Amino acid sequence: MKKSTAIPLSYLSATQPFQRPSIMGNQDYEIRKHGTSVGSPEIHLSSRLQVTGEAEYADDTPMPSNGLHAALVLSRKPHAKILSIDDSEAKSSPGFAGIFLAKDVPGDNHIGPITHDEELFATQYVTCVGQVIGVVVADTHENAKLAAAKVVIDYEELPAILSIQEAVDAKSFHPNSEKCLKKGDVDLCFQSGQCDKIIDGEVHVGGQEHFYLEPQSSLVWTMDSGSEVHMISSTQAPQKHQKYVAEVLGLPMSKVVCKTKRIGGGFGGKETRSAFIAAAASVPSYLLNRSVKLTLDRDVDMMITGQRHTFLGKYKVGFTKEGRLLALDLEIYNNAGNSLDLSLSVLERAMFHSDNVYEIPNIRIRGRVCFTNFPSHTAFRGFGGPQGMLIAENWIQKIAVELNKNPEEIREINFQGEGSILHYSQQLQYCTLGQLWNELKLSSDLLRAREDAKQFNLQNRWKKRGVAMVPTKFGISFTTKFMNQAGALVHVYTDGTVLVTHGGVEMGQGLHTKVAQVAASAFNIPLSSVFISETSTDKVPNTSPTAASASSDLYGAAVLDACEQIKARMEPVALKHNFSSFAELAGACYMQRIDLSAHGFYITPDIGFDWTTCKGNPFNYYTYGAAFAEVEIDTLTGDFHTRTANIILDLGYSINPAIDVGQIEGAFIQGLGWVAMEELKWGDAAHKWIPPGCLYTSGPGSYKIPSMNDVPFKFSVSLLKGHPNVKAIHSSKAVGEPPFFLASAVFFAIKDAIIAARAEVGHHEWFPLSNPATPERIRMACLDEFSSRFIDSDFRPKLSV
């Protein structure tokens, strides 16, 4: 008789098809109205035009009949000497109108947002694949690309540095980029025997492509026989475009104007790396006295304009047997690429945020910016903060494994609180971390969720669930003091309508909507009476980039200042008569020759950090938040689903809670991409099948961003109630960057599920998991009889860092 081999019930779930439930969303917030509009959940002012496709962007701008299209001539080597450039075949290409190299630049060929360490067009050497060597113009976009591809460049190849570790080994760092922050005495703490346990380790933090829907684009034209240059650019920093173009052409800034109506997403990718695009287009436009449009194809954009910095963190942590932190010694390195760009500022913010929300009596953080032969990496939502916090949460999780406790226990007993002095000497004020953490813990029923996941895991061999809860504290302000300034121009017309111009850029985040609400409430008029047309350097000069989550604070305050000036002039007239409308009042003021226009200005008070003393207040205030996540993984395929995500943020009294909730949801999903989906693969020592220095993942076919299928099945967002922010306009708080890191709750929930899978085969030790936790990485971390044939328990898949 044949012996039956019954399949264990716990194995059956591996054969069941996945049934995707309907997505359920929940938003919980209070409405605190101030005047006619502030505090109201108003719809985004451009939303109807955007969803119908009628909203106009830089590439939609009509070209004159003699306008030209540009394409860049790019390096194909990561490090090489240029021996010769043969453009003869390009010149005979259809529609060809010109090729321009370094020798043709009228002004200065050297550019850079802080240090002029870049060349607009490479002269003798190239230091990355995708470095610009020249620009070709032709009658159509396709003809320009065709001609550029025909330029033949002969190289002498040189050794290239293609990872952080290679840079560290070769001591390849950008000049003057070493930083250190200290608090207490780390060495003494380690040596004194205070620490019951000391652990160390490495964290590899992956990069991320901005993947804005609108690629980089600039249209440049000349006016008045070529004596003035104007441009429309997709940029977060019109002033940088103005400055770059003026320097490259040898013109005063007063003769260069940059306008931006709106941009189709930026996320930091259009803060500095958009400027060399405009500068490259300006050279043929100026020399030929013709309009030139340069719009990058997606693959070129991804290859040359830089991504979120990858990081390497090396830590040593001492703590008590209860899990209380005593000392942290941390070295962090970021991969800057071939120019400094903003990489030092990104490193500094990572260092400021390397404690996340934890009280550490003794701390030393050393940072270096690595020079590598990749395109220059740049700003990305969070600006180094998420990388610093992810490193922190990695060692928190390792402490939990070491002490056989849940990570949430380790987090809670180490929370900073009101009055905490941080490792850069700033003191916490109005800290709401404890309250929002407890609210989230209660609403998510953390203990029940853990128990439910445990029971599910006991009954399912090949599917596992994990939960995690992660806090965040994000500092609001540019860490460079002079950038914390804003200007605005407000005009009141005799029909009672108001035109506002300010230095901030609308990139889909609702900045113009919030600023218009501020103006509407200031004048006590409907939101429909306020219009914001565009951002332009000839209306508001010397503006800071729209970045650092600070734009609503800065430009809202600048607009309010201008409105208050006009109101003060109008008041004597308003007191004399009982006007039936604002239009009547405006008309009466005009008849009495009262100025109905004002320039507003705002600077963030009481901030500034001195790197020589390592003391000061780099931030005006902090936005606090926390997120709970539950995931389910398929251990045989590595696929995962986020079953639940609950988020709570302290945004003070929101100027527009509907837009703020949208920002939180968008940031969380973009963060989910960073921690679990989006993997950049570069040609380096770990990926020898890719040509050295080349980006393999240069489009959506190989680079996966989140889609609708990746939205959590239950997605809840709450705003903390009853906590006005005394430090910003109308008691509000910044929202753009702080929620991004909260997606790491999904990452650590995935790791929690993997821990359950590994426990099935008797492995309970800590193991490395680098972000992104892609299906491949999840699968290989789930030890079983299949994977154990190929890997050890501490296997770490290769990551391009």
Side-chain angles (χ1 to χ4, degrees):
M1 188 175 171
K2 214 172 190 183
K3 189 177 179 182
S4 66
T5 54
I7 299 173
L9 290 176
S10 64
Y11 281 46
L12 292 180
S13 62
T15 66
Q16 294 168 358
F18 174 71
Q19 299 292 328
R20 180 175 297 278
S22 298
I23 293 172
M24 294 173 59
N26 183 58
Q27 298 89 33
D28 179 29
Y29 53 81
E30 63 179 346
I31 295 174
R32 292 273 189 160
K33 286 289 292 284
H34 180 93
T36 55
S37 191
V38 166
S40 177
E42 301 284 352
I43 192 169
H44 191 294
L45 293 178
S46 292
S47 57
R48 288 186 178 87
L49 290 176
Q50 287 171 320
V51 298
T52 59
E54 296 170 277
E56 293 186 1
Y57 296 87
D59 193 47
D60 296 318
T61 309
M63 293 274 285
S65 57
N66 70 337
L68 298 171
H69 293 263
L72 300 173
V73 179
L74 302 172
S75 161
R76 296 181 182 177
K77 302 295 179 185
H79 190 201
K81 184 177 183 181
I82 299 173
L83 300 178
S84 64
I85 300 174
D86 181 1
D87 58 9
S88 56
E89 196 175 341
K91 288 179 175 176
S92 59
S93 195
F96 175 86
I99 178 169
F100 301 86
L101 306 170
K103 62 181 175 57
D104 303 305
V105 174
D108 190 352
N109 190 45
H110 289 87
I111 57 173
I114 298 171
T115 303
H116 281 48
D117 61 347
E118 303 176 52
E119 290 182 312
L120 177 63
F121 301 137
T123 51
Q124 292 181 286
Y125 296 92
V126 291
T127 51
C128 73
V129 173
Q131 185 170 350
V132 181
I133 296 172
V135 62
V136 170
V137 286
D139 59 347
T140 68
H141 179 67
E142 291 303 319
N143 280 343
K145 289 196 296 179
L146 188 66
K150 292 178 180 177
V151 177
V152 178
I153 302 169
D154 190 23
Y155 301 97
E156 177 190 326
E157 292 195 52
L158 299 168
I161 292 172
L162 299 174
S163 73
I164 291 177
Q165 194 57 57
E166 286 181 23
V168 172
D169 293 343
K171 292 184 170 50
S172 176
F173 303 113
H174 283 273
N176 305 313
S177 68
E178 185 173 6
K179 296 287 181 178
C180 184
L181 290 172
K182 294 179 185 177
K183 174 186 168 185
D185 193 326
V186 170
D187 293 327
L188 179 63
C189 186
F190 285 138
Q191 294 160 11
S192 65
Q194 297 175 56
C195 304
D196 295 322
K197 286 181 179 276
I198 296 173
I199 59 170
D200 57 27
E202 279 191 4
V203 183
H204 301 171
V205 182
Q208 186 180 22
E209 163 59 31
H210 301 88
F211 220 102
Y212 26 68
L213 293 182
E214 177 204 19
Q216 304 277 9
S217 181
S218 278
L219 170 63
V220 187
W221 68 95
T222 56
M223 293 182 68
D224 201 19
S225 299
S227 62
E228 297 176 42
V229 176
H230 288 237
M231 76 193 92
I232 292 172
S233 286
S234 180
T235 176
Q236 295 170 238
Q239 187 260 358
K240 277 196 170 62
H241 282 225
Q242 178 194 25
K243 192 168 189 292
Y244 273 42
V245 168
E247 290 174 352
V248 160
L249 299 182
L251 293 173
M253 289 176 70
S254 55
K255 291 190 175 184
V256 178
V257 177
C258 179
K259 298 176 184 289
T260 301
K261 175 73 173 175
R262 64 173 64 86
I263 68 175
F267 311 115
K270 295 175 182 174
E271 182 176 344
T272 56
R273 302 315 296 168
S274 58
F276 76 89
I277 309 294
S282 74
V283 173
S285 176
Y286 184 70
L287 295 177
L288 298 176
N289 201 18
R290 294 170 72 175
S291 297
V292 171
K293 182 183 284 185
L294 176 52
T295 300
L296 299 186
D297 287 350
R298 177 69 61 187
D299 59 336
V300 174
D301 194 323
M302 290 182 72
M303 181 174 72
I304 74 171
T305 60
Q307 284 87 22
R308 178 185 295 280
H309 290 74
T310 56
F311 270 71
L312 170 63
K314 299 183 178 184
Y315 63 82
K316 182 179 177 183
V317 184
F319 50 95
T320 67
K321 58 181 179 294
E322 294 81 24
R324 196 167 295 281
L325 298 168
L326 295 176
L328 168 66
D329 195 8
L330 178 66
E331 291 178 23
I332 57 173
Y333 304 89
N334 67 351
N335 186 339
N338 71 333
S339 78
L340 187 62
D341 191 69
L342 302 176
S343 298
L344 182 56
S345 298
V346 169
L347 180 81
E348 290 171 359
R349 187 173 275 270
M351 293 171 71
F352 286 138
H353 285 73
S354 286
D355 60 344
N356 193 8
V357 296
Y358 305 117
E359 192 78 59
I360 311 169
N362 303 284
I363 186 168
R364 177 172 62 209
I365 306 171
R366 289 169 287 192
R368 295 296 295 264
V369 178
C370 296
F371 176 97
T372 57
N373 293 111
F374 289 113
S376 191
H377 294 310
T378 192
F380 198 135
R381 195 178 202 161
F383 204 75
Q387 293 97 314
M389 291 186 282
L390 189 63
I391 293 169
E393 292 300 338
N394 265 275
W395 50 254
I396 286 283
Q397 202 263 343
K398 191 170 184 179
I399 291 171
V401 172
E402 192 75 22
L403 297 176
N404 195 26
K405 292 188 175 187
N406 290 327
E408 288 76 24
E409 292 180 60
I410 308 299
R411 293 182 176 113
E412 280 186 26
I413 66 169
N414 289 291
F415 277 170
Q416 295 162 346
E418 189 69 20
S420 287
I421 307 291
L422 306 182
H423 58 286
Y424 42 90
S425 84
Q426 183 154 352
Q427 185 174 25
L428 291 188
Q429 295 178 301
Y430 313 107
C431 178
T432 55
L433 174 65
Q435 182 174 339
L436 60 82
W437 178 265
N438 290 333
E439 282 192 24
L440 180 64
K441 198 173 172 184
L442 189 65
S443 64
S444 302
D445 202 348
L446 177 64
L447 296 178
R448 170 96 181 258
R450 278 210 174 276
E451 184 57 33
D452 289 350
K454 182 181 176 182
Q455 291 306 315
F456 177 89
N457 293 339
L458 288 172
Q459 297 163 22
N460 292 273
R461 173 66 184 94
W462 303 109
K463 291 206 167 79
K464 298 294 179 188
R465 289 180 183 170
V467 299
M469 203 166 130
V470 175
T472 190
K473 166 182 111 261
F474 196 87
I476 305 301
S477 290
F478 288 98
T479 52
T480 302
K481 183 177 179 178
F482 73 83
M483 296 177 75
N484 294 284
Q485 59 176 297
L489 186 61
V490 175
H491 302 319
V492 173
Y493 293 96
T494 54
D495 65 352
T497 61
V498 175
L499 177 65
V500 174
T501 308
H502 60 87
V505 170
E506 175 58 55
M507 48 186 162
Q509 86 283 38
L511 175 62
H512 283 356
T513 305
K514 284 186 173 182
V515 167
Q517 287 177 265
V518 170
S521 282
F523 290 120
N524 199 32
I525 57 177
L527 182 60
S528 58
S529 295
V530 180
F531 181 59
I532 301 178
S533 61
E534 63 182 7
T535 307
S536 182
T537 58
D538 63 350
K539 302 294 189 298
V540 179
N542 311 319
T543 58
S544 296
T546 303
S549 307
S551 298
S552 293
D553 291 2
L554 292 171
Y555 293 110
V559 166
L560 183 59
D561 177 47
C563 294
E564 294 293 345
Q565 292 176 48
I566 296 171
K567 281 173 65 181
R569 296 177 204 145
M570 299 174 89
E571 189 175 12
V573 178
L575 291 173
K576 289 178 184 174
H577 305 280
N578 188 21
F579 294 102
S580 62
S581 68
F582 185 68
E584 271 192 32
L585 172 61
C589 289
Y590 170 71
M591 296 304 290
Q592 294 193 33
R593 296 184 297 177
I594 290 170
D595 183 5
L596 295 177
S597 175
H599 170 253
F601 192 69
Y602 177 77
I603 60 171
T604 309
D606 306 320
I607 58 166
F609 185 78
D610 185 349
W611 275 99
T612 57
T613 62
C614 291
K615 293 190 183 303
N617 293 334
F619 304 116
N620 187 29
Y621 62 89
Y622 297 88
T623 295
Y624 298 93
F628 165 87
E630 180 188 2
V631 304
E632 182 179 312
I633 66 171
D634 184 324
T635 67
L636 293 173
T637 65
D639 195 13
F640 82 94
H641 305 285
T642 307
R643 291 169 48 79
T644 303
N646 294 339
I647 303 166
I648 183 167
L649 241 73
D650 170 16
L651 296 183
Y653 291 169
S654 171
I655 290 175
N656 187 324
I659 280 178
D660 284 351
V661 165
Q663 282 288 287
I664 294 167
E665 291 172 340
F668 187 86
I669 297 301
Q670 189 175 46
L672 175 64
W674 174 57
V675 298
M677 298 178 66
E678 302 178 39
E679 181 169 16
L680 295 159
K681 288 189 171 76
W682 293 91
D684 53 26
H687 302 87
K688 293 189 175 177
W689 46 277
I690 306 172
C694 288
L695 180 63
Y696 173 73
T697 48
S698 60
S702 53
Y703 185 82
K704 299 303 178 186
I705 64 170
S707 71
M708 277 300 296
N709 285 342
D710 302 297
V711 174
F713 301 154
K714 293 180 180 177
F715 198 10
S716 299
V717 175
S718 300
L719 303 186
L720 188 67
K721 298 179 176 72
H723 286 272
N725 175 31
V726 301
K727 296 274 195 170
I729 184 168
H730 294 315
S731 304
S732 64
K733 276 194 175 185
V735 68
E737 291 168 300
F740 178 90
F741 177 69
L742 294 179
S744 67
V746 173
F747 177 80
F748 289 105
I750 289 170
K751 192 162 189 181
D752 191 49
I754 296 171
I755 288 170
R758 292 165 70 96
E760 289 266 6
V761 290
H763 281 280
H764 301 278
E765 72 279 5
W766 181 89
F767 61 95
L769 182 68
S770 301
N771 75 298
T774 57
E776 299 92 333
R777 290 171 189 278
I778 294 171
R779 174 65 192 94
M780 297 310 286
C782 292
L783 295 179
D784 52 42
E785 56 264 43
F786 308 112
S787 60
S788 60
R789 302 179 188 184
F790 308 103
I791 61 167
D792 296 324
S793 62
D794 60 350
F795 173 69
R796 181 173 227 151
K798 301 284 173 48
L799 183 71
S800 287
V801 294

